[in-house]
Structure formats: structure tokens, C-alpha cells
């Protein structure tokens, strides 16, 4: 409702002005309004777009009255103010004509603060156009959702349209109304594409293992231009209470107290639930009435002190949970934040929310890894210290026992010395194994290698194991075919082979046989150690190569051991790029197979 003459504008504080669309979009809307004005025989035509917050925004006013155009262009009004009018009058397709006499006092009171009424003298002629007459066309999408309203005012013939004229008018304007809908959807699509592209750039730039600091740094760089931002700030909501002082990070702006920060966090949770964006302007906070009522004086200086046009606060979340806040500051030369940008920014906020969850999961994972690494380092240091502290006194005890053996002792004393020597040797072996386990578990521990013949190491290991085998009446049979050259550490590989032989002899039945096969080619060398003893249960096989593992099988528990031998086997082979496997059945023995890369060949596995 406009007028070329004097106008009566309600003296109230109007809702914030928006800047729907870019210049090209607004120009297209203005051209459509001008075209409709010429096509329909009305001197005034206005287009209001419905925003997601149920506010109507004037995006085009075709009128010769420049005062009206300046006053209302970009102004908003609540859709609820139009509800009474949209339920009155005569409906013809998408058109609704409401005569002034059809208007209820309630409808006029609700609309008057947001409209301009022509200064037309009241008359009694029922055919003439009245100041409060309204002719409205609704623009709806395919889901019959209203997207815009088009107003026609001041007919050139100064007459109210008849039913026949309304029918003809409804047919004439259909194409233009469709053009308005296309322009609205095109603008929404353009905003979504622009900001979605920025989000994709952020996600592409961020490492899959990026932490929050890296992610937020990329957001600040990659999203500034798409958001047309003077400054951009992002952080999680749980950091607002602790760290937020200047959302955009510009010096010279007022600090935000803890109460304001807490209120901002609560407002973001509420905004995420409503899928709304808050706008802070120099004189008002839009989108949260409580925040505006209680903290306007603390928040609006954040805009005015920096000389900005506005700051948009976008909630970020995943599912039902709000996680973070994105603050977008625009200077006075930038376009106003639009409703289409709010919709697009909220789409972006969902993607960023998932990225934040991933970053937080990565942070928890890295924290757990660091804690485990620290625990492993402590454990390795403890084992190494225990092993070192054991070796010196054990060496002293062993030396004195050797002296006692050389002395002419009574028979009773000799019988005591022999088990002491045997158990001291066991403790010394345990201390040496502990020291080796500690060194093998240290990924930073260097390994010097040389080209070795595994057959030679195997022969030496069998010689060492033979006394124990003879004591248990177990024979060891060796078969060697092909080459056996490998690249490795001689002491580590000797201990690995010795542990396998010791294990096979220990768990064999008396009078049993341990079969040892060694074969090789240009790619790999295979060592197989097979016994026919007590065997290993399937449950124990899953834990067999763990440190200090001892089977609960009574037959196994009756054999001495400290549960480190097979763990050493596994760790040595991992360091040498090899593998170890076991096949066993209870009471039918066990077969261990070791594979090592041949000298000059690639590792069979990645070294640990």
C-alpha cells in the first residue's frame, strides 16, 4: 500500500532491515515489480519475501514515491501481522482482494505499524478504491508453501476490480509470479553453493587427523571470503566461558564478562534447536529477545567499537547437540546478512559440526595414544631398571657359588650348592630376557645388522639346547635344504631360535622328538620347529605371544618358565620384517613356523 501523495507512516521502531539477495537479484525483483505495475494497471506494486524466521522483507517497491521507496526498501515485518488480511475478502486463485469494509479493527491495528496507506479522502461510492483496500497475490512453491507476497495498490482507474477483472488479472500475472519464485530459489541455491563450496574446501584442507586448532585455523582462512566477512571467529561452546574475550579478535573492543559469555553459550544452544542465526547490530540483537533484553549494552559495543555493520552468530552442531559458535563480522561496506545466507550457513554448520566431532574424536584418540605411550615408556624403564639391578647381585652370587663348587665341601653342602647354581642361572636368564624385552620394545632402539647364515645360528642353538633335551630324554632332529642367508642382528636371532627350541623341548613328553626344518629360496627363509608334546589350546594360542603369558593348563604349569620366550620371538621377528605362526592341538604337539626375508629381499612385514 503506497501513495504518490502524502503518506501516513506509523511511528514505531521497525524490524531490522535485511539485504536479501545480491544486487543482480534485487534488480531482477525490481524489474519484475515494475513489469507487474505496467501490466496490471496499478501505480504501485511491492514484493515481500518470506524468510525462515516468519518475517516478511520488502525486496522491491515499484512506485513513483521515492520517500516510500527509501523508507520501506529492505524493511521487515512479521508474517503474523498479515494473517487477518489473508483470511478476509474474496479469493480468486492466488489473488485475494480485501475491501476496507471487510477489514476488522484487529486486522487494521496489526497491519498499520508496517504499512503505508494512501491519503485518499473517504467516500461512499462502493466501486471506488479506498485507502485501506488490499489486493495481494501469494507466491507458493511446489509444496504449496508460501514464499512471497505481491501487493498491488492505487489502480489507475481508481476503481475496485470486479470478479471478472480479478480472474483475468490472476491469469495475467501467473508467469511473473513464477519468475519471482524462481528468483527466490535461485538466490537460496546460490548462497548454499557458495558456502557449501567453502565447507568442502575446509574439509579437503583439513587432515583426517586434524585437531580442533588446525580445523578452526582452516575455517578462519577458507570461510572468510565466502562469508564476505571482515573478520571471522570460531570456537567450541565449552570454551566460551573460559576463553572468549573478543569474538573476532580485534584489538580495542570491549571485553565480555563471564555472565555474557554464559548467556551467549545458552543462546547458541537455543538457536541450534530453532535452527536460527543471531545478528548483533550497533543498536540491537536480533534473533533472541532474552539476549537483547538483558545483554544488549554489552554485545552491541562489539559492533560499534569496531565500526562494523553487524556480527552474525551461527550455531554449529551435530544432531541435536550444539557444539560451537561461528561469529561472522561484516564492515559497513559489505552487504547486509540475508536470510538465504542464514539458511546456507546452517547447512554449513551441520558439516562443520561433523568435522568438529571427528577432530574431538581424534584428540581423544591421540590423548589415549599418548597416555599409553607414556605408560609403555614407564613400564619399559621399570623393567630395564629391575633387570639391571638384578644382574649385578646375581653375577656376584654366581661367582661365589663357583668358588664354593671348587672347594672341598661336605656332601650335604654340595647338594645345597647345586640347586642354588641352577636357580641363580634361571634368575640371570630372566634378568637378561627382561633387559632384551625392554630394548626390543623401544622403537627408537637401533639395530645393527649383518648378513648371517641362519643354518649356523641354528646349529649353535641346538648345541645349547641339547643338554636340556638329553636331561628330558628328548632328541632333536635337524633338516636343512636350500639357502639360509638373512640380514639381521645375530644375538637377537640366536635368542629367537633358542626360545623356540627351549619351548619345544620343555613341552615335549619324555622320549619325544623335536623336528627342526630349515629351508630357503631367493625370497624367504623358513624355520619350522615341531614337537609332539602337550599341545596348546585354541584359547591360549590367541595370547601365546604376549609378555609374561603362562597357560592355565596344569600340564603347562608344571613346566618352569617366566612367559617371556615367545614374546621375544615375536618382537625380534617384527624388528626383522618376519612373521611367526603356530598350529597346535591339545595333546598332539605344536608346530611353530618362522619366516624371514632372504638377504637382499624385501621385508615380509613392516618393521615395528
Amino acid at each position: 500500500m503506497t501513495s504518490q501523495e502524502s503518506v501516513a507512516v506509523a511511528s514505531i521502531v521497525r524490524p531490522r532491515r535485511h539485504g536479501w539477495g545480491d544486487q543482480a537479484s534485487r534488480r531482477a525483483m525490481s524489474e519484475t515489480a515494475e513489469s507487474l505495475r505496467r501490466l496490471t494497471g496499478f501505480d504501485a506494486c511491492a514484493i515481500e519475501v518470506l524468510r525462515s524466521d516468519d518475517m516478511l522483507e520488502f525486496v522491491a517497491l515499484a512506485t513513483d514515491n521515492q520517500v516510500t521507496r527509501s523508507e520501506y526498501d529492505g524493511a521487515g515485518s512479521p508474517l503474523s501481522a498479515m494473517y487477518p488480511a489473508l483470511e478476509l475478502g474474496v479469493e480468486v486463485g492466488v489473488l485475494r482482494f480485501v475491501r476496507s469494509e471487510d477489514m476488522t479493527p484487529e486486522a487494521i491495528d496489526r497491519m498499520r505499524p508496517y504499512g503505508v496507506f494512501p491519503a485518499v479522502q473517504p467516500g461512499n461510492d462502493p466501486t471506488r478504491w479506498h485507502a485501506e483496500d488490499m489486493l495481494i497475490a501469494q507466491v507458493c512453491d511446489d509444496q504449496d508453501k508460501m514464499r512471497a507476497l505481491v501487493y498491488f495498490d492505487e489502480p489507475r482507474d481508481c476503481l475496485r476490480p470486479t470478479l471478472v477483472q480479478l480472474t483475468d488479472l490472476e491469469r495475467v500475472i501467473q508467469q511473473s509470479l513464477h519468475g519471482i519464485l524462481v528468483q527466490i530459489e535461485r538466490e537460496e541455491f546460490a548462497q548454499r553453493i557458495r558456502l557449501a563450496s567453502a565447507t568442502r574446501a575446509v574439509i579437503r584442507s583439513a587432515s583426517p587427523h586434524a585437531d580442533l586448532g588446525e580445523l578452526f585455523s582452516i575455517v578462519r582462512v577458507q570461510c572468510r571470503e565466502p562469508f564476505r566477512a571482515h573478520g571471522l571467529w570460531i570456537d567450541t561452546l565449552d570454551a566460551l566461558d573460559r576463553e572468549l574475550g573478543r569474538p573476532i579478535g580485534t584489538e580495542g573492543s570491549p571485553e565480555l564478562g563471564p555472565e555474557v559469555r554464559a548467556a551467549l553459550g545458552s543462546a547458541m544452544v537455543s538457536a541450534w534447536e530453532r535452527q536460527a542465526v543471531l545478528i548483533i547490530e550497533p543498536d540491537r540483537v536480533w534473533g533472541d529477545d532474552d539476549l537483547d533484553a538483558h545483554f544488549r549494552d554489552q554485545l552491541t559495543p562489539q559492533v560499534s567499537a569496531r565500526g562494523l555493520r553487524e556480527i552474525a552468530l551461527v550455531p554449529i552442531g551435530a544432531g541435536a547437540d550444539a557444539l560451537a559458535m561461528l561469529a561472522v563480522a561484516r564492515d559497513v561496506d559489505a552487504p547486509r546478512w540475508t536470510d538465504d545466507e542464514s539458511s546456507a550457513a546452517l547447512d554449513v554448520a551441520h558439516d562443520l559440526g561433523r568435522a568438529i566431532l571427528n577432530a574431538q574424536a581424534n584428540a581423544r584418540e591421540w590423548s589415549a595414544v599418548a597416555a599409553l605411550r607414556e605408560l609403555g615408556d614407564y613400564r619399559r624403564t621399570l623393567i630395564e631398571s629391575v633387570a639391571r639391578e638384578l644382574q649385578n647381585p646375581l653375577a656376584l652370587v654366581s661367582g661365589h657359588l663357583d668358588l664354593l663348587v671348587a672347594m672341598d665341601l661336605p656332601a650335604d653342602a654340595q647338594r645345597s650348592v647345586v640347586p642354588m647354581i641352577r636357580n641363580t642361572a634361571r634368575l640371570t636368564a630372566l634378568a637378561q630376557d627382561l633387559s632384551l624385552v625392554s630394548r626390543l620394545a623401544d622403537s627408537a632402539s637401533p639395530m645393527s645388522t649383518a648378513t648371517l647364515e641362519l643354518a649356523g645360528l641354528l646349529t649353535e642353538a641346538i648345541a645349547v639346547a641339547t643338554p636340556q633335551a638329553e636331561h628330558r630324554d628328548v632328541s632333536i632332529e635337524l633338516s636343512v635344504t636350500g639357502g639360509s642367508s638373512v640380514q639381521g642382528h645375530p644375538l637377537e636371532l640366536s635368542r629367537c631360535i633358542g626360545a623356540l627350541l627351549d619351548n619345544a623341548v620343555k613341552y615335549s613328553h619324555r622320549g619325544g622328538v623335536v623336528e627342526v626344518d630349515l629351508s630357503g629360496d631367493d625370497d624367504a627363509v623358513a624355520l619350522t620347529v615341531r614337537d609332539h608334546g602337550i599341545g596348546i589350546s585354541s584359547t591360549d594360542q590367541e595370547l601365546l605371544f604376549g609378555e609374561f603369558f603362562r597357560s592355565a593348563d596344569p600340564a603347562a604349569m608344571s613346566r618352569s618358565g617366566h612367559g617371556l620366550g615367545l614374546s621375544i620371538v615375536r618382537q625380534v621377528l617384527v624388528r626383522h620384517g618376519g612373521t611367526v605362526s603356530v598350529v597346535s592341538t591339545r595333546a598332539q604337539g605344536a608346530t611353530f613356523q618362522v619366516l624371514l626375508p632372504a638377504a637382499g629381499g624385501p621385508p615380509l612385514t613392516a618393521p615395528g
Side-chain angles (χ1 to χ4, degrees), residues 503-520:
N503 196 70
V505 170
K506 183 192 306 181
Y507 294 108
S508 289
H509 299 299
R510 286 193 173 273
V513 177
V514 173
E515 301 166 5
V516 181
D517 297 318
L518 182 65
S519 61

Side-chain angles (χ1 to χ4, degrees), residues 336-509:
R336 291 182 181 275
W337 184 271
T338 70
D339 189 54
D340 291 337
E341 286 181 304
S342 291
S343 300
L346 289 168
D347 287 344
V348 169
H350 285 270
D351 293 333
L352 289 178
R354 288 188 288 270
I356 288 172
L357 287 182
N358 289 337
Q360 290 175 332
N362 288 335
R364 289 192 295 269
E365 181 178 342
W366 282 110
S367 176
V369 168
L372 289 173
R373 184 179 294 114
E374 183 178 352
L375 181 61
D377 291 342
Y378 172 77
R379 176 176 173 274
R380 186 167 55 252
T381 301
L382 178 62
I383 291 174
E384 188 175 2
S385 298
V386 170
R388 186 172 56 252
E389 293 299 321
L390 281 174
Q391 288 181 24
N392 290 333
L394 285 172
L396 181 63
V397 170
S398 180
H400 282 80
L401 289 173
D402 289 341
L403 290 174
L404 288 174
V405 169
M407 296 174 64
D408 186 15
L409 297 176
D412 291 343
Q414 288 283 2
R415 283 194 296 271
S416 297
V417 170
V418 171
M420 290 170 64
I421 292 175
R422 185 169 61 249
N423 284 285
T424 301
R426 288 183 57 197
L427 287 174
T428 301
L430 173 60
Q432 292 172 345
D433 283 349
L434 287 173
S435 180
L436 180 58
V437 165
S438 175
R439 183 167 60 83
L440 294 175
D442 185 0
S443 58
S445 174
M447 181 179 68
S448 58
T449 62
T451 301
L452 308 169
E453 288 296 328
L454 208 61
L457 296 179
L458 182 56
T459 301
E460 294 174 1
I462 290 175
V464 173
T466 295
Q468 179 192 4
E470 291 176 347
H471 178 72
R472 296 188 55 79
D473 194 21
V474 173
S475 61
I476 302 175
E477 298 178 353
L478 174 62
S479 172
V480 179
T481 58
S484 65
S485 294
V486 297
Q487 194 78 16
H489 189 286
L491 294 180
E492 291 185 9
L493 289 176
S494 294
R495 183 65 187 91
C496 172
I497 296 171
L500 289 173
L501 290 173
D502 178 74
N503 196 70
V505 170
K506 183 192 306 181
Y507 294 108
S508 289
H509 299 299

Side-chain angles (χ1 to χ4, degrees), residues 266-335:
S266 299
M268 286 295 98
V269 172
S270 174
W272 181 252
E273 291 175 353
R274 296 180 284 113
Q275 286 295 280
V277 174
L278 310 188
I279 308 291
I280 305 177
E281 290 188 338
D283 58 354
R284 179 76 188 267
V285 179
W286 302 95
D288 191 306
D289 291 341
D290 288 339
L291 200 65
D292 180 63
H294 297 99
F295 299 102
R296 178 192 294 181
D297 292 343
Q298 291 87 355
L299 291 172
T300 54
Q302 297 288 328
V303 179
S304 56
R306 298 185 178 103
L308 299 172
R309 175 190 289 275
E310 60 197 357
I311 300 175
L313 303 181
V314 182
I316 297 172
D321 299 325
L323 302 174
M325 181 178 80
L326 175 68
V328 182
R330 285 186 173 171
D331 58 28
V332 292
D333 296 327

Side-chain angles (χ1 to χ4, degrees), residues 136-149:
I136 311 169
Q138 293 191 45
V139 179
C140 299
D141 59 19
D142 294 339
Q143 285 73 45
D144 204 31
K145 177 184 177 182
M146 188 174 73
R147 306 301 303 277
L149 294 178

